[in-house]
Protein backbone atom coordinates (compact mmCIF):
# COMPACT_ATOMS: atom_id res chain seq x y z
CA UNK A 1 0.00 0.00 0.00
CA UNK A 2 1.22 3.50 -0.87
CA UNK A 3 2.55 5.07 2.35
CA UNK A 4 1.47 8.61 1.48
CA UNK A 5 -2.10 9.59 0.55
CA UNK A 6 -2.91 9.93 -3.11
CA UNK A 7 -3.91 13.43 -4.19
CA UNK A 8 -6.83 12.96 -6.58
CA UNK A 9 -7.22 15.99 -8.83
CA UNK A 10 -10.83 16.42 -9.94
CA UNK A 11 -11.64 18.96 -12.63
CA UNK A 12 -14.73 21.05 -11.99
CA UNK A 13 -17.64 20.88 -14.41
CA UNK A 14 -16.67 17.63 -16.14
CA UNK A 15 -19.92 15.72 -15.68
CA UNK A 16 -20.89 12.98 -16.07
CA UNK A 17 -17.25 12.02 -15.63
CA UNK A 18 -16.19 14.07 -12.62
CA UNK A 19 -16.96 17.29 -10.77
CA UNK A 20 -15.24 18.42 -7.62
CA UNK A 21 -18.08 20.74 -6.60
CA UNK A 22 -21.21 18.80 -7.53
CA UNK A 23 -23.36 16.79 -5.12
CA UNK A 24 -22.51 13.72 -7.14
CA UNK A 25 -18.87 12.96 -7.90
CA UNK A 26 -19.41 11.62 -11.42
CA UNK A 27 -18.50 8.29 -13.00
CA UNK A 28 -14.79 8.67 -12.33
CA UNK A 29 -15.27 10.23 -8.91
CA UNK A 30 -17.49 7.38 -7.70
CA UNK A 31 -15.19 4.83 -9.30
CA UNK A 32 -12.08 6.30 -7.68
CA UNK A 33 -13.67 6.38 -4.22
CA UNK A 34 -14.47 2.70 -4.56
CA UNK A 35 -11.01 1.86 -5.89
CA UNK A 36 -9.41 3.70 -2.97
CA UNK A 37 -11.50 1.66 -0.54
CA UNK A 38 -10.84 -1.68 -2.24
CA UNK A 39 -7.10 -1.09 -2.49
CA UNK A 40 -6.98 0.22 1.10
CA UNK A 41 -5.44 3.42 -0.21
CA UNK A 42 -5.90 6.75 1.51
CA UNK A 43 -7.06 9.33 -1.01
CA UNK A 44 -7.48 13.10 -0.76
CA UNK A 45 -9.79 14.59 -3.40
CA UNK A 46 -8.82 18.05 -4.62
CA UNK A 47 -11.31 20.14 -6.57
CA UNK A 48 -9.48 22.21 -9.20
CA UNK A 49 -10.60 24.17 -12.29
CA UNK A 50 -9.97 21.89 -15.26
CA UNK A 51 -7.46 24.27 -16.85
CA UNK A 52 -5.18 23.76 -13.82
CA UNK A 53 -5.66 20.03 -13.27
CA UNK A 54 -2.89 18.76 -15.55
CA UNK A 55 -0.21 21.18 -14.41
CA UNK A 56 -0.91 20.73 -10.70
CA UNK A 57 -1.14 16.95 -10.88
CA UNK A 58 2.02 16.71 -12.99
CA UNK A 59 4.01 18.60 -10.36
CA UNK A 60 2.69 16.46 -7.48
CA UNK A 61 4.63 13.28 -6.69
CA UNK A 62 1.37 11.83 -5.31
CA UNK A 63 -0.84 13.29 -8.04
CA UNK A 64 -3.61 11.34 -9.76
CA UNK A 65 -5.84 12.68 -12.55
CA UNK A 66 -9.36 11.47 -13.23
CA UNK A 67 -11.00 11.43 -16.66
CA UNK A 68 -7.93 12.02 -18.81
CA UNK A 69 -8.12 11.25 -22.50
CA UNK A 70 -5.11 9.25 -23.65
CA UNK A 71 -3.91 11.10 -26.72
CA UNK A 72 -0.66 10.98 -28.66
CA UNK A 73 0.22 14.44 -27.33
CA UNK A 74 -0.18 13.32 -23.70
CA UNK A 75 1.23 9.80 -24.01
CA UNK A 76 4.62 10.54 -22.50
CA UNK A 77 3.39 13.06 -19.94
CA UNK A 78 1.63 10.70 -17.51
CA UNK A 79 1.74 7.17 -16.11
CA UNK A 80 -1.47 5.56 -17.37
CA UNK A 81 -3.09 3.55 -14.59
CA UNK A 82 -6.55 2.43 -15.69
CA UNK A 83 -8.41 2.43 -18.99
CA UNK A 84 -11.99 3.19 -17.94
CA UNK A 85 -14.26 4.29 -20.81
CA UNK A 86 -14.38 5.10 -24.50
CA UNK A 87 -15.15 8.80 -24.97
CA UNK A 88 -15.62 9.38 -28.70
CA UNK A 89 -16.66 12.78 -30.01
CA UNK A 90 -19.81 12.63 -32.11
CA UNK A 91 -22.45 14.85 -33.65
CA UNK A 92 -25.64 14.55 -31.59
CA UNK A 93 -28.92 15.46 -33.27
CA UNK A 94 -32.64 14.76 -33.06
CA UNK A 95 -33.88 14.66 -36.66
CA UNK A 96 -31.07 13.15 -38.70
CA UNK A 97 -27.69 11.57 -37.85
CA UNK A 98 -24.65 13.40 -39.19
CA UNK A 99 -21.42 11.57 -39.98
CA UNK A 100 -19.17 14.56 -40.66
CA UNK A 101 -18.77 18.15 -39.57
CA UNK A 102 -19.18 19.33 -43.16
CA UNK A 103 -22.49 17.48 -43.50
CA UNK A 104 -23.87 18.99 -40.30
CA UNK A 105 -22.73 22.54 -41.15
CA UNK A 106 -24.39 22.28 -44.53
CA UNK A 107 -27.67 21.41 -42.79
CA UNK A 108 -27.60 24.30 -40.31
CA UNK A 109 -25.99 25.76 -37.16
CA UNK A 110 -23.87 23.43 -35.00
CA UNK A 111 -23.25 23.92 -31.26
CA UNK A 112 -19.86 23.27 -29.66
CA UNK A 113 -18.09 24.11 -26.42
CA UNK A 114 -16.13 27.31 -26.99
CA UNK A 115 -12.38 27.44 -26.52
CA UNK A 116 -11.87 23.72 -27.13
CA UNK A 117 -9.86 21.89 -29.82
CA UNK A 118 -13.11 20.63 -31.34
CA UNK A 119 -14.34 24.24 -31.63
CA UNK A 120 -11.14 25.02 -33.54
CA UNK A 121 -11.69 21.98 -35.76
CA UNK A 122 -15.21 22.90 -36.79
CA UNK A 123 -14.44 26.59 -37.26
CA UNK A 124 -11.51 25.67 -39.49
CA UNK A 125 -13.82 24.02 -42.03
CA UNK A 126 -16.77 26.41 -41.74
CA UNK A 127 -17.48 28.24 -44.98
CA UNK A 128 -19.17 31.57 -45.59
CA UNK A 129 -22.79 31.48 -44.49
CA UNK A 130 -22.33 28.49 -42.18
CA UNK A 131 -22.78 28.99 -38.44
CA UNK A 132 -20.99 27.56 -35.42
CA UNK A 133 -22.59 28.41 -32.08
CA UNK A 134 -19.97 28.36 -29.32
CA UNK A 135 -21.34 27.86 -25.80
CA UNK A 136 -19.74 28.30 -22.37
CA UNK A 137 -21.60 25.39 -20.77
CA UNK A 138 -22.52 22.08 -22.44
CA UNK A 139 -26.03 22.37 -20.99
CA UNK A 140 -26.56 25.39 -23.22
CA UNK A 141 -25.77 23.25 -26.26
CA UNK A 142 -28.31 20.64 -25.17
CA UNK A 143 -30.95 23.34 -24.78
CA UNK A 144 -30.16 24.79 -28.20
CA UNK A 145 -30.51 21.37 -29.83
CA UNK A 146 -33.74 20.58 -28.00
CA UNK A 147 -35.27 23.92 -29.03
CA UNK A 148 -34.28 23.45 -32.67
CA UNK A 149 -31.96 26.45 -32.78
CA UNK A 150 -29.09 24.19 -33.90
CA UNK A 151 -29.23 21.03 -35.99
CA UNK A 152 -26.36 19.24 -34.23
CA UNK A 153 -24.13 19.34 -31.17
CA UNK A 154 -20.44 18.35 -31.34
CA UNK A 155 -19.69 16.61 -28.03
CA UNK A 156 -18.58 13.43 -26.23
CA UNK A 157 -21.41 10.94 -26.64
CA UNK A 158 -21.70 10.09 -22.93
CA UNK A 159 -21.83 13.75 -21.89
CA UNK A 160 -24.58 14.43 -24.41
CA UNK A 161 -26.58 11.43 -23.18
CA UNK A 162 -26.10 12.40 -19.54
CA UNK A 163 -27.23 16.02 -19.99
CA UNK A 164 -30.15 15.03 -22.20
CA UNK A 165 -31.30 12.67 -19.45
CA UNK A 166 -30.69 15.19 -16.64
CA UNK A 167 -32.72 17.84 -18.46
CA UNK A 168 -35.63 15.41 -18.87
CA UNK A 169 -35.76 15.55 -22.66
CA UNK A 170 -37.74 12.66 -24.11
CA UNK A 171 -36.86 12.90 -27.81
CA UNK A 172 -34.19 10.28 -28.53
CA UNK A 173 -30.74 11.56 -29.38
CA UNK A 174 -29.26 10.40 -32.66
CA UNK A 175 -25.52 9.95 -33.15
CA UNK A 176 -23.51 9.77 -36.32
CA UNK A 177 -20.33 7.74 -36.55
CA UNK A 178 -17.59 8.69 -34.08
CA UNK A 179 -15.37 11.53 -35.27
CA UNK A 180 -12.59 10.49 -32.87
CA UNK A 181 -11.71 7.39 -30.84
CA UNK A 182 -10.41 8.65 -27.49
CA UNK A 183 -10.30 6.48 -24.36
CA UNK A 184 -10.51 8.08 -20.96
CA UNK A 185 -8.19 6.96 -18.18
CA UNK A 186 -7.11 7.44 -14.60
CA UNK A 187 -3.49 8.58 -14.76
CA UNK A 188 -0.64 9.48 -12.42
CA UNK A 189 2.10 12.06 -12.41
CA UNK A 190 5.38 10.83 -13.86
CA UNK A 191 6.88 11.78 -10.48
CA UNK A 192 4.69 9.17 -8.78
CA UNK A 193 6.78 6.35 -7.31
CA UNK A 194 5.00 3.01 -7.45
CA UNK A 195 2.78 3.53 -10.48
CA UNK A 196 3.23 -0.03 -11.75
CA UNK A 197 2.15 -1.60 -8.44
CA UNK A 198 -0.81 0.77 -8.13
CA UNK A 199 -1.80 0.04 -11.72
CA UNK A 200 -2.04 -3.67 -10.93
CA UNK A 201 -4.03 -3.15 -7.71
CA UNK A 202 -6.44 -0.81 -9.43
CA UNK A 203 -6.85 -3.16 -12.37
CA UNK A 204 -7.66 -6.06 -10.03
CA UNK A 205 -10.14 -3.97 -8.04
CA UNK A 206 -11.82 -2.72 -11.24
CA UNK A 207 -12.20 -6.29 -12.46
CA UNK A 208 -13.90 -7.15 -9.18
CA UNK A 209 -16.26 -4.20 -9.57
CA UNK A 210 -17.22 -5.31 -13.06
CA UNK A 211 -17.79 -8.84 -11.77
CA UNK A 212 -19.91 -7.94 -8.73
CA UNK A 213 -22.07 -5.38 -10.53
CA UNK A 214 -20.90 -2.29 -8.66
CA UNK A 215 -19.43 -0.69 -11.80
CA UNK A 216 -22.68 -1.15 -13.69
CA UNK A 217 -24.59 0.47 -10.82
CA UNK A 218 -22.34 3.53 -11.07
CA UNK A 219 -22.78 3.70 -14.84
CA UNK A 220 -26.55 3.29 -14.59
CA UNK A 221 -26.87 6.06 -12.00
CA UNK A 222 -25.51 8.59 -14.50
CA UNK A 223 -26.35 7.14 -17.91
CA UNK A 224 -29.38 4.93 -17.34
CA UNK A 225 -29.65 1.16 -17.32
CA UNK A 226 -29.81 0.67 -21.10
CA UNK A 227 -26.63 2.61 -21.85
CA UNK A 228 -24.78 0.98 -18.95
CA UNK A 229 -25.66 -2.46 -20.31
CA UNK A 230 -24.52 -1.44 -23.80
CA UNK A 231 -21.15 -0.22 -22.54
CA UNK A 232 -20.56 -3.39 -20.56
CA UNK A 233 -21.64 -5.64 -23.43
CA UNK A 234 -19.07 -3.85 -25.60
CA UNK A 235 -16.35 -4.85 -23.15
CA UNK A 236 -16.35 -1.72 -20.98
Amino acid sequence: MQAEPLNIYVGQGQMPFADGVADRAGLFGDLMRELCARTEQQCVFRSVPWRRVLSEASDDEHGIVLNLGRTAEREGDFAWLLDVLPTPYVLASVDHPYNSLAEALKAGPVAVMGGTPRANDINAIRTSGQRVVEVTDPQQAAQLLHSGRVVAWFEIDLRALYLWRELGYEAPLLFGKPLSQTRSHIAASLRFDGAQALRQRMSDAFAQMRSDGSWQRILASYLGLEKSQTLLSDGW
Side-chain angles (χ1 to χ4, degrees):
M1 184 174 66
Q2 182 77 13
E4 297 291 332
L6 300 179
N7 292 323
I8 314 299
Y9 288 85
V10 185
Q12 298 165 3
Q14 298 296 308
M15 292 297 280
F17 307 106
D19 191 341
V21 296
D23 292 336
R24 294 195 290 169
L27 292 167
F28 277 77
D30 288 352
L31 170 61
M32 192 67 205
R33 291 184 192 280
E34 186 66 20
L35 291 175
C36 290
R38 293 187 183 221
T39 59
E40 300 181 341
Q41 174 68 63
Q42 184 179 357
C43 297
V44 177
F45 287 77
R46 300 180 180 274
S47 176
V48 180
W50 177 249
R51 65 183 181 275
R52 286 173 27 208
V53 165
L54 302 189
S55 60
E56 293 196 16
S58 295
D59 291 338
D60 186 342
E61 62 184 9
H62 306 298
I64 303 291
V65 182
L66 302 187
N67 180 37
L68 188 60
R70 189 170 185 173
T71 64
E73 294 78 11
R74 292 174 178 159
E75 182 65 32
D77 295 337
F78 292 90
W80 302 93
L81 300 177
L82 190 67
D83 186 350
V84 179
L85 282 171
T87 48
Y89 283 100
V90 297
L91 286 162
S93 57
V94 292
D95 296 322
H96 173 78
Y98 297 102
N99 293 319
S100 72
L101 297 177
E103 181 187 8
L105 285 168
K106 186 176 180 179
V110 178
V112 66
M113 188 72 175
T116 61
R118 59 189 180 278
N120 295 337
D121 290 343
I122 192 169
N123 277 307
I125 69 165
R126 177 174 60 87
T127 61
S128 177
Q130 296 181 338
R131 287 186 58 213
V132 173
V133 181
E134 297 193 29
V135 300
T136 57
D137 185 322
Q139 183 170 307
Q140 296 172 339
Q143 293 166 338
L144 289 170
L145 181 61
H146 184 258
S147 67
R149 285 176 284 175
V150 298
V151 300
W153 170 22
F154 189 15
E155 185 53 89
I156 296 172
D157 61 348
L158 297 184
R159 178 169 292 141
L161 282 169
Y162 166 77
L163 287 171
W164 206 252
R165 184 169 178 261
E166 287 292 296
L167 291 168
Y169 296 154
E170 295 184 359
L173 271 182
L174 304 176
F175 294 119
K177 66 181 182 181
L179 303 182
S180 72
Q181 294 288 351
T182 307
R183 296 151 77 107
S184 202
H185 290 62
I186 296 172
S189 166
L190 290 179
R191 299 181 61 194
F192 181 81
D193 186 20
Q196 184 172 349
L198 180 60
R199 181 185 298 116
Q200 186 59 56
R201 296 204 310 276
M202 289 177 63
S203 179
D204 292 344
F206 191 41
Q208 293 171 0
M209 291 179 65
R210 292 171 61 86
S211 178
D212 66 22
S214 53
W215 177 228
Q216 182 174 355
R217 287 192 290 274
I218 291 173
L219 288 172
S221 71
Y222 292 97
L223 304 174
L225 181 61
E226 182 179 354
K227 184 59 179 178
S228 71
Q229 291 173 333
T230 300
L231 285 167
L232 291 172
S233 68
D234 288 343
W236 293 94

